[in-house]
Amino acid sequence: MPRKNVFGKPEDCDKVLLHACCAPCSSAIVEWLMANGVRPTIFYYNPNIWPREEYEIRKNESKRHAESLGIEWIDGDYDHQVWRMGVCGLENQPERGLRCEQCFTLRLTETARRAQELGFRYFTTTLASSRWKSLEQIERAGHIAEQMVNGQRSMVNDVVFWAQNWRKGGLQERRNQLLKENQFYNQQYCGCEFSARNGANTKPLLRAQMREAKKQHQAQLPKMSEEVAEKLQGIVASRNPQTVMAYWPLPDEVDIRPLVDLLVAQGIVIILPKVTGDETMELRHYASRADLEEGAFHIMEPVGEPFVDYDQIDMILVPGMAFDAAGHRLGRGKGYYDRFLNAHFFTTHHPYLLGICFPFQRVAEVPSEKHDVLVDEVI
């Protein structure tokens, strides 16, 4: 085994295949490697991440990071079902339990295989930069991956797992600086549905996580809004509603204002909610922005004619703090939408409910209660 210097770098290492779980975790490590004469190639292999939308966001941020530095970036295959098979039977393990170690082993074995295929002597991982993960588990997983790959192929150069604690030497502090400087997407859970469930098991905690996520994505919210609104426009067109209950967004919600005005121009009747008390709201017609004035919670509310013909509403656009795949919605905690929808719909008339959110607001599980209204689709 080649000797390591005081920083942990093998003396004969001038390039490394770096398994990266996300851009924030990679940033300070890549900076340190390049400053110490090691050229990293980023290998993004994380089939554990769920849902697919979350995976794509993290992947694109990692790629953006690599491109900004002019370093090579390799996209590993995404097959969540294969990963699920690999951790089958370990679903109920706690964080830092056997499921996590098996997950590390699966991902690092593929990294070792790719390193050998590409002619890298060394491979390492950004997993060892997280204070939420066990360094001992990561090191065991890396050495198992090394042994498995070296034992499977003959007449090929062996690969070596570079076991390094990437939290030391000020790298954790530098990571936080680079996170803000580059405005990286900063995930709210490790990646898989099991870690999301364990980390967000109460409504107040999940709301706090979503508020923090919105702060992290502040600069990206306008672009995300445009992308969500474009998808929403296609869905509205396909369902051809005559009357739509929409919403006028707060600054941290998906901005559907241009779409609302477009629908009005197309002759669709638009209704907006107006808060009338501590627990109640009503609906009013919207024809133009001249029909709005600031109301409760600094939300712009309609001053048009009241609307009470609820059976005429074909579609409802509902904002939320978080949604899951089953249609559970997390509101801001006041319960306005749940009370209103339960009081006026579903007995004889069920309009199509669309949950509107940013991609990072789609989570594995939203805690639910009997009175919570499920949406039909999440955009």
Side-chain angles (χ1 to χ4, degrees):
M1 176 73 65
R3 289 174 54 204
K4 296 181 180 179
N5 62 22
V6 68
F7 298 105
K9 170 192 161 188
E11 291 184 349
D12 65 339
C13 179
D14 59 2
K15 66 176 184 177
V16 66
L17 187 65
L18 175 64
H19 168 262
C21 56
C22 64
C25 290
S26 305
S27 55
I29 297 172
V30 167
E31 185 179 73
W32 186 93
L33 289 169
M34 296 178 72
N36 285 274
V38 181
R39 184 74 178 178
T41 292
I42 291 180
F43 180 49
Y44 188 82
Y45 181 69
N46 303 290
N48 59 303
I49 297 176
W50 184 93
R52 181 65 183 254
E53 293 85 356
E54 176 75 13
Y55 171 84
E56 293 295 335
I57 294 172
R58 298 190 194 192
K59 183 183 81 170
N60 291 334
E61 283 292 85
S62 177
K63 186 177 183 181
R64 176 171 74 91
H65 173 226
E67 289 176 345
S68 71
L69 298 174
I71 61 178
E72 187 177 359
W73 182 90
I74 299 173
D75 188 2
D77 294 331
Y78 178 76
D79 192 331
H80 188 66
Q81 288 307 310
V82 168
W83 178 85
R84 283 292 302 264
M85 291 174 61
V87 298
C88 183
L90 303 174
E91 293 87 349
N92 294 321
Q93 283 282 309
E95 293 300 291
R96 295 194 175 204
L98 294 178
R99 185 188 68 249
C100 292
E101 186 161 348
Q102 176 65 3
C103 174
F104 301 154
T105 302
L106 292 169
R107 292 152 75 190
L108 293 182
T109 298
E110 179 59 21
T111 305
R113 187 192 67 77
R114 191 64 67 93
Q116 192 173 69
E117 180 182 282
L118 297 174
F120 284 86
R121 169 73 164 154
Y122 295 98
F123 71 99
T124 189
T125 179
T126 64
L127 292 169
S129 68
S130 172
R131 61 192 178 95
W132 303 111
K133 296 179 176 65
S134 164
L135 290 173
E136 292 77 14
Q137 286 185 334
I138 294 168
E139 186 164 352
R140 280 197 300 269
H143 288 309
I144 289 172
E146 170 190 303
Q147 294 164 12
M148 289 180 64
V149 170
N150 290 338
Q152 289 174 353
R153 302 181 64 180
S154 59
M155 305 196 59
V156 179
N157 289 335
D158 285 348
V159 293
V160 177
F161 176 59
W162 177 358
Q164 176 70 41
N165 181 352
W166 295 111
R167 307 171 195 169
K168 301 173 68 175
L171 292 190
Q172 185 65 36
E173 293 76 12
R174 181 58 177 156
R175 172 201 183 278
N176 295 335
Q177 292 175 351
L178 292 171
L179 171 65
K180 294 179 180 179
E181 290 175 11
N182 291 279
Q183 297 182 332
F184 287 133
Y185 169 69
N186 192 31
Q187 63 279 5
Q188 301 302 304
Y189 61 101
C190 175
C192 75
E193 53 264 55
F194 310 113
S195 65
R197 185 177 302 130
N198 290 337
N201 55 5
T202 68
K203 287 185 176 182
L205 177 57
L206 185 53
R207 286 192 186 96
Q209 290 177 333
M210 291 300 104
R211 285 194 293 268
E212 180 61 28
K214 287 179 178 181
K215 291 179 183 178
Q216 296 288 347
H217 295 84
Q218 189 64 43
Q220 300 166 306
L221 296 186
K223 184 175 186 300
M224 288 184 180
S225 281
E226 291 177 4
E227 294 171 350
V228 174
E230 184 178 350
K231 293 179 183 177
L232 178 57
Q233 182 177 347
I235 291 173
V236 173
S238 69
R239 300 192 69 88
N240 193 31
Q242 301 303 303
T243 302
V244 174
M245 175 181 163
Y247 67 92
W248 205 255
L250 288 168
D252 65 346
E253 292 177 335
V254 173
D255 187 358
I256 63 169
R257 291 175 297 177
L259 176 59
V260 168
D261 289 333
L262 175 63
L263 296 180
V264 169
Q266 292 175 348
I268 296 175
V269 176
I270 297 296
I271 312 300
L272 296 179
K274 176 181 176 62
V275 172
T276 56
D278 291 340
E279 297 185 348
T280 58
M281 66 183 191
E282 65 182 16
L283 301 183
R284 290 179 177 256
H285 284 272
Y286 171 83
S288 73
R289 302 194 183 193
D291 292 339
L292 299 172
E293 65 180 21
E294 186 173 319
F297 310 112
H298 304 290
I299 299 173
M300 297 302 291
E301 295 183 333
V303 295
E305 290 296 317
F307 182 91
V308 295
D309 197 357
Y310 303 118
D311 286 349
Q312 296 301 311
I313 297 177
D314 306 302
M315 177 179 288
I316 300 178
L317 311 182
V318 186
M321 292 292 284
F323 293 87
D324 64 22
H328 296 110
R329 168 185 173 270
L330 179 72
R332 291 181 178 269
K334 299 293 185 179
Y336 282 101
Y337 272 96
D338 287 319
R339 279 190 296 272
F340 183 84
L341 296 175
N342 278 317
H344 298 292
F345 300 102
F346 314 129
T347 302
T348 59
H349 177 56
H350 189 131
Y352 195 71
L353 266 64
L354 275 169
I356 314 300
C357 67
F358 297 109
F360 59 84
Q361 292 176 279
R362 301 180 68 157
V363 300
E365 183 178 25
V366 171
S368 62
E369 300 172 62
K370 289 183 178 180
H371 64 266
D372 292 338
V373 173
L374 272 67
V375 301
D376 297 297
E377 186 176 354
V378 181
I379 303 299

